[in-house]
Structure formats: structure tokens, C-alpha cells
Amino acid sequence: MLDLKLVRAQSDLVRDSLIRRGEKTDILDALLEADARRRAILVEVEELKRRRNEASAQIARMKKSGEDATDIIAEMKSVGDAIRDLDDELSVVDGRIREALLAIPNIPHPSVPLGRDESDNIEVRRWKEPTQFAFEPKPHWDIGTELGIFDFERAAKITGARFVIYRGAGSNLARALINFMLDLHTRQHGYTEVFPPYLVNRDSMVGTGQLPKFAEDMFKCEGLEYYLIPTAEVPVTNMYRGEIIEAALLPIKHCAYTACFRAEAGASGRDTRGLIRQHQFDKVELVKFVHPDTSYDELESLVNNAERVLQVLDLPYRVTMMCTGDVGFSAAKKYDIEVWMPSYGRYVEISSCSNFESYQARRADIKFRPAGGGKAELVHTLNGSGLAVGRTIAALLENCQRPDGSVVIPEALRSYMGGLEVIERP
RNA sequence: GGAGAGAUGGCUGAGUGGUCAAAAGCGCUCGCCUCGAAAGCGAGUGGGCGGGUGACUGCCCCGUGAGUUCGAAUCUCACUCUCUCCGCCA
């Protein structure tokens, strides 16, 4: 969330941010009104509390010396009632303020281009050109099903639509990719691996910004305030919730493999075939906690780290910068990495890398102690996929397919697959 | 799942209705001492919100949330987490 002081002092900036994002601004007006009321109550109630504290000390003294304090106690009774009434109103107003703050998205960085939706995103760079085929390339769902490495039908039977069973070499491929990605990031990019819970509590979901606004996209446990994680970003970022980190420890860089669960509400009918949009998928996530001065450099290196996966796998991709209308709710700036997907005839998002600045850190209360001591300040948090495993498998099958339906395994993965070079039809 | 114990500042740990943001110790910072260091001695050491140019100052915070009271770290209730024992279990 944004700093209430900033919202108060520079409400025009926040209003402009909402407009550039294509959002309504009535929430801001409600916030400013509640804030004004809160400050008025505060002045009044603090004065009453000061009087009560003074009287309390006086009563204590009188009782100690055996004097009669009946009068002053009676007087304080009404003061107590007045305090209670004001405190009650204050908590209502505080609730409104918090609700509004949680619903206001981050302010886009000045470098983020103005735009309405994804069509206004900007291509930043491209690596290799789209794969050319001397034959008609097949979509990955056909390739994988014919190779016997995907089983969508049985997955639908045991669970439902938008689930898959990987089988044989397919299952090995998923495992190989996860290990390959984790090894790359831990051994070459300096990330420390963590393996967190897949279920998190409500505070964690609020901390990273999934709740309260995006509740319908999440799976929630029946009868429990636990949620299935939509991304490892949630548990990993919340590892440090409510903590103050020594400045010398920054930047903290974690990578994590987890399964991810998304209800995909509002996406019915989109990408219904194949691995692109599943309710459960696997992902290796990169998460950083950094000093505010360095967060934009750290964003660039985070994107590079994620790109490296595709480079080593030799898959064509491009990097795009999200415009104001498409940048994530909690993000100040976001790059997508899009892999070439022959069945779509276009690039498809395979990674999303964001700098949240202090937006998540304020929600989750993650601070650092500056070198040499002093007041704790909010860290900046960043994260990005490095990468989504299902979409990587899809891209790999489609880009590495051969006319006979077999698929060549990229060299970097072969040691993870017992030396297998080609997945062939049974 | 059952039984019990506990949650206080960076840490250990006192505090069971009233000048308690809270003893003491450790740690840390500064000073004295020293060639330097250790030891010793002295002083200082939590956070949030607000007011004041400033010295300074008001409110809140003792796991979380309600309640009792003129007044709650202290009493009541609910919840969360931790630890010990038993049971169960991958």
C-alpha cells in the first residue's frame, strides 16, 4: 500500500496515477475524507486521554495518602465514556482508511509508458527470431499427447478441467526443468533456494497484495483461513513479514520452486487447450529484498537472470515493458518475458518481473536497519518467474519438434534426463 | 486428538490493579583508564503516530482481539503461536 502521508500530501500525484492506470478515483476521495475525520478525532481524544492520565496519577496519590477521591473518580467516569465513544468512531474510520489504502494500486514509475491495455506495452528487446519450420508445426497438446507424455483426459477425470498428468519422459522433463532452473539461479546467479509451504494464512495474502482485492482468483481452504499459493512470491516475500533486516544482509535473493494454484476466474474459454492456463502449475520464482537505492538496477538483473533460462534452452523470446494500464496492481514497474509459441503464432508470457518498491514492504512491514544504525526504513521487494515450468514445456515441445512428432531435448537438460536426447513416440 | 506450561525491550528475565515504557543482568554505543586491548569505572541505550525552529512535548504499544474499571503488563473471555508429555501419523 501507499504511504498515507504521501497520499495526504500529494493527492494529485495519486489521483494522476489512478487515472493513468485507467482506474476510478472515488476511492481516493473517500480516503482523504476519512483521513481528515481521523485527524480531527485524534486531536480530541488525545486531549481527553491526557486528562485521564493526569487524573489517574492524582487518584493514585490521593489513595496512597488516604484522601477521598470520590469526586474526581466520578468526573473521570464521564471522561472515560467520552473516550470510549471517540475510540469507537476512530476504529471505524481507521478501518475505512485501511480498506481504501489496500484498494489503491501502486504508483507506476515515471519510465512506465502511458497506455490502456496490453496492446500499448512496449517491446524492449528480442532474442533470436521466431522458429522457422519446413513443415506444419503442431501445438504442444497434440505433440505431448501423441508422445504419451501428457494425459489431459485422466487429469480431467480425477480432478477436472485445466489439470494435466505428466507421464514418463514428460514427468521427467518437468522435474528436469525445475532442477535445471534452480541450479542455474543458485549456482550462477547467487540466489538462495527455499522450499516454502503451499498454504498460507490471510495476512500473507494481504502482505503481497493478492487480498483483499483478488480473492476470487484464489483457492481457499474450506473452514480455514488458509489459501493455496498462486505463486511462491507469497510465502517467500512473507518470510520476512514484520521483520527488520540488517542493511549488511541486503540484497537478500531467494529462488523457490513451488506448485501454484489459480482459480482463473474470468478466464473461462481462454487458452482452454494445453498447458498455458492451468489451475495448478509449477514455477521457479525469484524474489529479492533490496535497498531502495538499488531496486531498479536489481530489476534489470532479475529480468536478465530469468532470460538466461531461455537463452540456455535456446528458445526465442522477447522482453516487453508493461504500460500503465497493464502494470500489476502492486507493481511500480513490470517487464514480461514472452517466449515464441508456434501454435499461437505469437509470443506468450512465460515470466513477469516486477519492482514493487515499498508497496509490498509497507503492507507486510518489512524494513531494514541502515548501516550505522538509525531509523528502520522499508525495503524494496521484487520478484519474477524464473520460469513458469508448464509454459516452458509447451514452448520447448513446440519449438524443438521434428516432422515425425519427436522432440529434441535441449542439451542443458539432458544430464537431468539420464542422457536422453530425443523424446520419441512409443 | 488429549493433558499441562508459557508468550514482557536486541537477548535472559522480574513485575498479579495506580507516578510502570516497565527492575536486574547480558549485549550494544559513548567516555574515563591504557602504548593499544581486555578488565574496571561512568553515562546512555525500544517502537509507532502527532505537535514544536529548538530545548522539548502529547497519545499509543507488555502475543492478537474483545471486556471489567476512574485507572489494566497485572483481572475476565475468545483466539493465535511456542514448549513438554501422551496418542496418531508421511
Side-chain angles (χ1 to χ4, degrees):
Chain A
M1 61 189 167
L2 299 177
D3 182 3
L4 180 57
K5 269 184 274 190
L6 176 118
V7 177
R8 186 187 299 142
Q10 301 187 56
S11 58
D12 289 348
L13 179 76
V14 178
R15 191 178 307 277
D16 183 54
S17 152
L18 287 167
I19 292 166
R20 282 192 295 149
R21 277 177 174 273
E23 304 265 344
K24 285 189 270 185
T25 60
D26 47 352
I27 186 93
L28 175 63
D29 296 319
L31 173 60
L32 292 171
E33 189 189 323
D35 180 51
R37 179 61 193 145
R38 172 175 171 274
R39 282 147 67 79
I41 296 170
L42 231 37
V43 169
E44 202 176 338
V45 78
E46 283 194 4
E47 169 61 18
L48 288 173
K49 284 180 177 174
R50 187 186 61 75
R51 273 171 55 197
R52 182 177 69 182
N53 289 343
E54 281 173 4
S56 272
Q58 194 184 343
I59 291 167
R61 276 194 304 271
M62 291 170 84
K63 291 230 173 182
K64 212 165 228 173
S65 63
E67 290 177 67
D68 177 42
T70 314
D71 289 351
I72 188 162
I73 286 176
E75 186 193 335
M76 281 308 109
K77 209 174 172 72
S78 68
V79 171
D81 289 344
I83 288 173
R84 184 187 315 248
D85 289 346
L86 285 170
D87 272 344
D88 285 348
E89 190 188 346
L90 190 61
S91 74
V92 170
V93 172
D94 275 342
R96 273 209 290 271
I97 289 172
R98 180 163 175 78
E99 203 179 308
L101 275 178
L102 288 176
I104 293 178
N106 203 350
I107 297 172
H109 188 265
S111 65
V112 173
L114 181 67
R116 185 185 304 273
D117 53 39
E118 68 218 21
S119 61
D120 294 322
N121 295 339
I122 291 174
E123 182 174 308
V124 176
R125 59 182 166 271
R126 211 178 258 232
W127 191 83
K128 297 191 78 176
E129 287 305 309
T131 314
Q132 299 295 316
F133 294 93
F135 57 95
E136 184 64 28
K138 292 178 177 171
H140 65 273
W141 52 88
D142 285 344
I143 300 169
T145 304
E146 287 164 17
L147 289 174
I149 62 174
F150 299 161
D151 188 342
F152 289 103
E153 288 189 14
R154 288 199 178 97
K157 175 169 66 183
I158 61 175
T159 306
R162 295 188 191 276
F163 287 87
V164 68
I165 297 166
Y166 294 113
R167 180 189 177 97
S171 180
N172 193 166
L173 182 58
R175 188 156 50 86
L177 279 167
I178 292 164
N179 283 328
F180 159 68
M181 291 176 193
L182 288 172
D183 286 347
L184 180 73
H185 296 311
T186 56
R187 292 171 191 171
Q188 293 186 34
H189 298 152
Y191 291 80
T192 301
E193 184 179 351
V194 293
F195 193 31
Y198 291 3
L199 284 170
V200 298
N201 58 34
R202 183 183 171 84
D203 284 345
S204 292
M205 293 291 268
V206 172
T208 32
Q210 281 72 26
L211 292 181
K213 197 165 180 188
F214 304 103
E216 69 282 0
D217 295 329
M218 308 301 150
F219 286 109
K220 181 173 182 294
C221 289
E222 178 80 36
L224 260 172
E225 201 64 32
Y226 286 170
Y227 297 81
L228 279 165
I229 56 171
T231 158
E233 162 193 352
V234 179
V236 177
T237 305
N238 278 283
M239 279 170 61
Y240 300 95
R241 172 153 52 81
E243 296 192 17
I244 298 173
I245 301 165
E246 284 306 320
L249 297 174
L250 299 179
I252 292 174
K253 297 161 66 175
H254 285 309
C255 62
Y257 157 74
T258 69
C260 303
F261 304 89
R262 295 186 187 176
E264 296 294 354
S268 60
R270 285 182 64 195
D271 309 313
T272 48
R273 303 198 69 181
L275 301 177
I276 302 303
R277 198 174 295 275
Q278 299 271 296
H279 286 309
Q280 174 187 318
F281 61 98
D282 301 285
K283 182 158 59 68
V284 170
E285 185 77 0
L286 306 173
V287 179
K288 290 188 189 180
F289 304 83
V290 310
H291 190 284
D293 292 346
T294 66
S295 67
Y296 281 93
D297 292 337
E298 295 284 359
L299 176 62
E300 297 302 320
S301 68
L302 183 82
V303 177
N304 291 338
N305 294 155
E307 284 176 71
R308 186 79 193 132
V309 176
L310 290 173
Q311 291 168 6
V312 176
L313 294 177
D314 205 33
L315 294 171
Y317 69 85
R318 65 174 189 171
V319 178
T320 58
M321 193 197 306
M322 303 295 97
C323 71
T324 53
D326 205 26
V327 71
F329 177 81
S330 302
K333 183 167 182 169
K334 180 168 99 168
Y335 292 109
D336 273 2
I337 301 173
E338 301 178 338
V339 70
W340 177 254
M341 199 70 75
S343 66
Y344 280 57
R346 61 173 171 84
Y347 289 95
V348 170
E349 178 191 334
I350 198 167
S351 172
S352 211
C353 302
S354 306
N355 183 2
F356 303 96
E357 297 190 1
S358 60
Y359 189 88
Q360 288 182 332
R362 187 171 291 104
R363 288 171 87 111
D365 187 27
I366 306 171
K367 295 180 175 174
F368 71 98
R369 181 82 58 198
K375 208 172 144 90
E377 297 173 43
L378 294 166
V379 300
H380 280 192
T381 62
L382 302 93
N383 67 53
S385 345
L387 308 163
V389 173
R391 291 187 180 186
T392 305
I393 291 174
L396 204 150
L397 295 192
E398 294 197 7
N399 285 285
C400 303
Q401 63 179 303
R402 300 195 297 195
D404 64 355
S406 63
V407 171
V408 179
I409 310 279
E411 281 194 31
L413 295 180
R414 291 178 189 172
S415 64
Y416 292 96
M417 299 191 66
L420 189 68
E421 295 177 12
V422 180
I423 302 176
E424 295 182 298
R425 294 198 192 190

